[in-house]
Amino acid sequence: MKKFILTGLAMIMSLTSVMAQEETGVANHLGWGVGFGTEGINVGIATDMTKYAELEFGVNWAPGFARTESGEAFYIATKDGVPARHNVGEMDTKAKVNRATLDFKGSVYPFAANEGFASDLFVAVGVSFASKELASIEGTLNPTKEADGQKYVRVGKYMLPLNGNEADGSARVNSVRPYFGLGYGRLVPKNNLGFRVELGCQLNGKVKIYDNKTDNECELLSKYNFPTATKTQDVMDFFSIYPVLKVSLRGKFF
């Protein structure tokens, strides 16, 4: 994760160096930004293409957090063609979430020809790049009963297989994530400093659970007609379309 963030910062510094040496007519200003929001702490650089459009490259980093859920470990036995779950003990599974993303976004100012407040209203579109792994999943079972078959633990609507009594999985989404947003404020302020507020959504794609041992997607509980609605699944669905609220301070290099 640290290498991922350092790579993004190196790209920012490289782009800054190139653009500071050459003015390209319409792209003749270079701005910077620092802020915070639901994506965590963010830094970026931007240039104005025309008075109607700007481009930005940025890095976002959010501190990691963990969520622990208690549930039953089980194995599946089929009798008369009907699968049934047989519990073998309680176990806690811990999901550790870390979020770091690189952004490349464009902002369009449809009212740029107007004077006053309306001129800085914008619509933003772009793409974010990040690791496919959204969270690591781990846990240890202290069995209370013998298992007659492969043991599993429930993670949302998935069945994560245990390696012995250990859970080792990951929640994964798309590494390339489209973004749409709107707000108020310039990436490159007209004066030396300015503020920008942005509200949007990042399309991560469906969250899927993988077994790290085999690198395969886990089976769904619905395959055996087991219920799938859980609080964990609600959290997973939330990350499929991630809401973005960002407040930033903007400045201008030149």
Side-chain angles (χ1 to χ4, degrees):
M1 190 65 68
K2 291 182 179 178
K3 291 182 179 179
F4 184 75
I5 296 172
L6 290 174
T7 300
L9 292 174
M11 293 175 67
I12 289 177
M13 296 305 296
S14 297
L15 184 55
T16 301
S17 176
V18 171
M19 296 190 67
Q21 296 172 17
E22 181 180 0
E23 294 191 64
T24 56
V26 294
N28 58 355
H29 294 290
L30 184 68
W32 55 267
V34 293
F36 64 93
T38 56
E39 292 182 298
I41 301 168
N42 58 80
V43 296
I45 58 171
T47 184
D48 52 343
M49 301 307 295
T50 68
K51 65 181 179 181
Y52 294 101
E54 295 175 322
L55 295 178
E56 179 186 33
F57 177 81
V59 178
N60 306 284
W61 176 80
F65 66 92
R67 174 186 171 88
T68 300
E69 180 160 315
S70 180
E72 293 278 358
F74 61 91
Y75 69 93
I76 298 173
T78 301
K79 184 177 181 180
D80 299 327
V82 180
R85 286 193 303 177
H86 298 270
N87 295 334
V88 294
E90 288 274 349
M91 71 176 293
D92 291 334
T93 54
K94 179 183 288 186
K96 298 179 180 179
V97 179
N98 288 286
R99 290 180 58 83
T101 56
L102 304 179
D103 294 335
F104 185 72
K105 299 176 181 178
S107 295
V108 176
Y109 301 85
F111 306 109
N114 297 336
E115 294 295 333
F117 179 84
S119 63
D120 290 339
L121 292 172
F122 68 86
V123 176
V125 294
V127 63
S128 297
F129 303 91
S131 168
K132 288 184 178 181
E133 183 175 305
L134 183 65
S136 61
I137 302 169
E138 58 186 32
T140 301
L141 168 67
N142 294 316
T144 58
K145 299 179 182 178
E146 292 294 326
D148 186 16
Q150 171 67 54
K151 289 175 287 189
Y152 300 89
V153 65
R154 178 178 185 162
V155 180
K157 61 183 179 182
Y158 288 89
M159 297 163 35
L160 175 61
L162 301 185
N163 180 21
N165 292 321
E166 302 292 327
D168 182 16
S170 56
R172 304 182 190 180
V173 293
N174 297 333
S175 60
V176 179
R177 307 164 186 175
Y179 173 84
F180 303 92
L182 51 84
Y184 176 79
R186 288 272 176 174
L187 290 172
V188 181
K190 297 173 184 177
N191 300 314
N192 289 330
L193 289 176
F195 288 94
R196 179 177 166 100
V197 179
E198 185 172 344
L199 179 65
C201 61
Q202 185 184 95
L203 307 182
N204 294 336
K206 185 182 297 184
V207 180
K208 300 178 181 179
I209 304 300
Y210 280 76
D211 176 16
N212 287 341
K213 180 182 178 182
T214 62
D215 204 38
N216 292 328
E217 183 180 348
C218 296
E219 290 185 305
L220 294 168
L221 286 158
S222 58
K223 177 180 178 180
Y224 300 96
N225 296 318
F226 297 149
T228 60
T230 63
K231 291 183 179 179
T232 299
Q233 187 58 46
D234 292 340
V235 173
M236 291 167 60
D237 291 340
F238 171 82
F239 277 98
S240 295
I241 302 178
Y242 190 75
V244 175
L245 173 61
K246 184 180 297 185
V247 178
S248 59
L249 175 67
R250 312 301 307 194
K252 187 161 58 176
F253 289 113
F254 61 87

